Amino acid sequence: QVQLVESGGGSVQAGGSLTLSCAVSENIFSTHVISWHRQANGKRRELVASITTTGATNFADSVEGRVTISRDNAEKTVSMQMNNLEPDDTAVYYCAAGQRGMGWTYWGHGTQVTVSS
């Protein structure tokens, strides 16, 4: 069974920081790209950041320079630190896992991030 469990969401003021964590099932952690996506009310889900099994990262233009993503191979977790948060970052954030050419196969249930001005 595959599970991705997000944690770390919450409410912060603009300019603040949050770190989201995704606990990934051991049976896919070393074989799948792990990513963070977000969906704001009334908007499409969008990719925020991703990290490959070798540590290569990719970021959406909207968060470039404000977000870092990292893997902890011992704990089987992927963390995303978000700095200088803006109200437009308010969304439900989802962790997902996938392999090249196969899309994002597995999804977590999401964690809410709310940024107030």
Side-chain angles (χ1 to χ4, degrees):
Q1 184 178 359
V2 174
Q3 283 190 315
L4 292 92
V5 180
E6 302 97 337
S7 61
S11 297
V12 295
Q13 290 191 324
S17 298
L18 276 177
T19 299
L20 305 183
S21 184
C22 178
V24 181
S25 293
E26 185 172 3
N27 57 340
I28 65 165
F29 184 82
S30 62
T31 57
H32 283 60
V33 177
I34 307 299
S35 57
W36 285 96
H37 306 248
R38 66 186 181 186
Q39 187 167 21
N41 284 340
K43 296 186 177 181
R44 297 179 64 179
R45 190 174 296 187
E46 63 172 348
L47 174 66
V48 178
S50 63
I51 185 166
T52 69
T53 57
T54 58
T57 58
N58 185 54
F59 300 96
D61 290 344
S62 58
V63 302
E64 185 77 54
R66 299 190 295 122
V67 167
T68 60
I69 187 171
S70 60
R71 300 173 71 107
D72 185 326
N73 293 329
E75 297 294 326
K76 305 294 186 288
T77 59
V78 171
S79 296
M80 181 172 71
Q81 180 172 348
M82 302 186 293
N83 300 314
N84 195 20
L85 284 161
E86 305 166 354
D88 283 348
D89 294 317
T90 295
V92 178
Y93 284 71
Y94 298 89
C95 180
Q99 293 179 305
R100 183 183 291 275
M102 298 182 67
W104 303 109
T105 307
Y106 305 104
W107 290 86
H109 293 295
T111 185
Q112 176 73 44
V113 171
T114 302
V115 184
S116 58
S117 58

